[in-house]
Amino acid sequence: MANDPLLQPFQLKHLTLRNRLMLTSHEPAYPEDGMPKALYRAYHVERARAGLGLTMTAGSAAVAKDSPPVFNNILAYKDEVVPWLRELADACHEHGTAVMIQLTHLGRRTRWDKGDWLPAVSACHRREPAHRAFPKQVEEWDIERLIRDYADAAERMHAAGLDGIELQAYGHLMDQFWSPLTNTLEGPYGGELDNRLRFTFDVLRAIRQRVGSEFIVGVRYTGDEMLEGGLTASDGMAISRRLKESGLIDFLNVVRGHIDTDAGLTDVIPIQGMPSAPHLDFAGEIKRQVDFPTFHGAKIQDVATARYAIASGKVDMIGMTRAHMADPHIVRKIVEGREEEIRPCVGANYCLDRIYQGGAAYCIHNAATGRETSMPHSIPKAAQKRRVVIVGAGPAGLEAARVAGERGHDVVVLEAASDAGGQVRLTAQSERRREMLGIIDWRLARCEALGVEIRYNVWAEVEDVLAEQPDVVIVATGGYPMEDQPAVGHELVVNTWDILSGHVAPGKRVLLFDDAGDHAAMQAAEIIAASGAELEIMTPDRTFSAEIMAMNLVPYMRSLQRPNVTFTPTYRLKSVQRDGGELLAGITSDYATSGQPDQERRINQVVVNYGITPMADVYFELKAHSSNGGEVDYDDLIAGGPQAVVRNPQGRFQLFRIGDAVSSRNTHAAIYDALRLVKDI
Ligand SMILES: Cc1cc2nc3c(=O)[nH]c(=O)nc-3n(C[C@H](O)[C@H](O)[C@H](O)COP(=O)(O)O)c2cc1C
Ligand code: SF4
């Protein structure tokens, strides 16, 4: 390990970074009142303690009030940020990790109806499609104020004892000045490239006046917008050179692409099924030609690729950001020769999409990430060994088995199918989502190492469970697609699982009715569309795929925007009847007024997606035998204490039910159910 290129230090001016692995800046939306408080600190410290070289904290910490915190950003324009960041930096420094922060003004990449309700500002009036705000175009007094704001914020970061800062210049105000697509200014800040860069160099000079020449300053920027009429790769090279030659900065952090649309963002931060390390060669070319300290990160999920990035000399520091959300202990595992134990990032981008859906970024299969103050990344051993029987080896059951195994319990899993994975295995039938299997395979490997016994092809009845003489029984049997809808003609339809599993072939003219708005519908749609069928995707919701957020939707749109596919929101499947060799679907709408006639569709297949019904018979049959009757004390669960409910003193074991066996939710919810219950068993 001593010669591992990843573990070699990197000298950045006076600062020695102890190895080549970094977190690139990412805002997981953990601030409280705009401040990086206990959770924010705990998140970074967990990764620092495991040996990370550099953490670039925040994502887009706002330098000004008119850069409203559209994804709960740190408010770097407030003086009160200084003590919070000092605490964070001190705590990471104690473990030897360097700490920097990304500062920015979001420009038009925000909304005016957040924060102080100030108008968004940019170098043009054009709106950003993703956030939708029409900005005001900057005036001279804005420019003067904004330069001051950047410098003030940099001074605060210096005062907080951070090792440095980077300025964000891809999709934010700074490169909205750079790009011909977003700079419609005349005069000194518009027109030719030097003018468009003027704002950046004014800001950098103002920052240097405040923080001196020692403090580390870098820029994270796009070296090629990959947009017609935007900044080209040769513009990017010219910008890279000018940044270096200015003598004002210490490193380049290279990005390629644009983030003003969901599709653009997804090419910059690729989701599962997209190529690994797609922009590494591009970053390497900038480093080769410009010869300056260069950082980079984009879908480098595995250690081997990160090692190659450094060993090949393409870049000096390599980001493994989502990889560290999935497993905060990557560096420790490399150092200890335990790389095969690293929990893989499966590229689900649940972390990113959840910011806009529910606030904080959570990892689809590490429920402790973003909950470091309440959920452990390392599971402590239990004081007393117990016999734990788990029914079901889907994501919930396997996480329960893993955590119970880490606790040192004697664990057996009874699985009805011939393999593990449940709905995740069904998801992974799609080539594009095959990486999801990492969620299952990693748990199977951990279970094996921990001595967990998994018995397949066992449809567990009450007697099978009782015969194991358990102390704890956890039912994680998942569910099955709802079968009793539509009320008229449900026996004539097939469901999305039938299509996904390959049990039913797509018809020629298909109506897919999606009442759940989740992945099952879109994945089935991809299969049907690829077969060449005429496909209408209908939903009663205002928009299709209501549960699939921006980045996850991109690959679906890329495969479904084809002439044989149509989308029909706001309509509801009411009935299906046979009509000769075809089917006749009756269609209504929640918006219909009385007397408005139903519509009809003549097709030859109806595929429905009504969500999941829990399948938990064994749980209900076991209740009478258990001490707690299946009851969960929610207060203890939330507070992180052991479950102590006793409803039946004669009961011989505690009984719990988790995941979709309780109610239809998602993979993260199933895994979180398991972790937070079993960590205290
Ligand atoms: C939750 C989350 C928030 C992010 N926010 C920012 C941000 O504010 N600024 C930024 O430059 N990059 C942001 N990123 C992008 C990351 O820095 C990184 O470029 C991206 O995740 C690709 O690297 P990876 O494949 O190693 O994760 C964010 C990423 C994630 C996962
Ligand atoms: S949610 Fe997916 S992409 Fe994000 S860190 Fe977890 S595994 Fe990686």
Side-chain angles (χ1 to χ4, degrees), residues 246-475:
S246 73
L248 293 165
I249 67 160
D250 305 302
F251 67 87
L252 302 171
N253 188 350
V254 177
V255 167
R256 186 185 200 191
H258 61 101
I259 61 172
D260 54 333
T261 60
D262 296 343
L265 180 66
T266 308
D267 290 330
V268 170
I269 310 180
I271 194 169
Q272 56 192 197
M274 293 171 76
S276 173
H279 309 307
L280 177 61
D281 287 344
F282 178 80
E285 191 51 26
I286 289 189
K287 176 175 160 56
R288 197 183 67 76
Q289 289 199 32
V290 180
D291 188 22
F292 202 56
T294 302
F295 303 175
H296 174 69
K299 204 170 191 243
I300 286 141
Q301 287 156 294
D302 63 294
V303 171
T305 308
R307 191 172 282 132
Y308 164 75
I310 298 299
S312 61
K314 286 186 188 292
V315 294
D316 298 300
M317 293 293 294
I318 192 73
M320 289 186 78
T321 303
R322 286 170 294 169
H324 271 88
M325 296 186 83
D327 190 334
H329 301 154
I330 290 176
V331 179
R332 181 184 302 149
K333 288 176 183 172
I334 297 173
V335 171
E336 293 175 0
R338 296 190 291 126
E339 272 176 41
E340 74 289 349
E341 287 180 30
I342 292 172
R343 183 184 323 218
C345 169
V346 299
N349 278 11
Y350 182 67
C351 46
L352 281 141
D353 273 347
R354 191 172 183 284
I355 292 178
Y356 288 94
Q357 189 174 30
Y362 293 131
C363 172
I364 194 167
H365 80 126
N366 185 344
T369 285
R371 299 192 179 94
E372 277 76 6
T373 49
S374 57
M375 293 292 132
H377 281 287
S378 305
I379 311 286
K381 284 261 178 288
Q384 195 192 346
K385 186 171 178 133
R386 303 172 82 188
R387 174 90 173 141
V388 180
V389 175
I390 295 162
V391 187
L398 284 182
E399 175 71 347
R402 176 190 80 86
V403 178
E406 301 271 12
R407 300 277 289 150
H409 295 312
D410 182 13
V411 188
V412 62
V413 182
L414 308 177
E415 166 57 45
S418 56
D419 45 24
Q423 288 177 57
V424 170
R425 195 164 286 279
L426 198 61
T427 295
Q429 295 278 329
S430 153
E431 186 57 40
R432 193 176 60 66
R433 303 197 73 203
R434 196 165 295 277
E435 287 175 57
M436 292 291 276
L437 277 183
I439 296 173
I440 301 306
D441 290 345
W442 179 75
R443 286 183 169 73
L444 286 175
R446 293 305 304 140
C447 283
E448 190 178 344
L450 292 162
V452 169
E453 186 191 352
I454 305 182
R455 288 185 218 146
Y456 294 103
N457 301 308
V458 178
W459 185 273
E461 306 283 1
V462 170
E463 303 71 46
D464 301 311
V465 175
L466 296 180
E468 297 297 326
Q469 301 193 317
D471 300 308
V472 179
V473 176
I474 298 171
V475 174

Side-chain angles (χ1 to χ4, degrees), residues 24-27 59-60 102 170 220 269 299 321-322 352:
T24 54
S25 172
H26 60 297
E27 182 43 77
S60 324
Q102 181 182 76
Y170 65 104
R220 190 175 203 204
I269 310 180
K299 204 170 191 243
T321 303
R322 286 170 294 169
L352 281 141

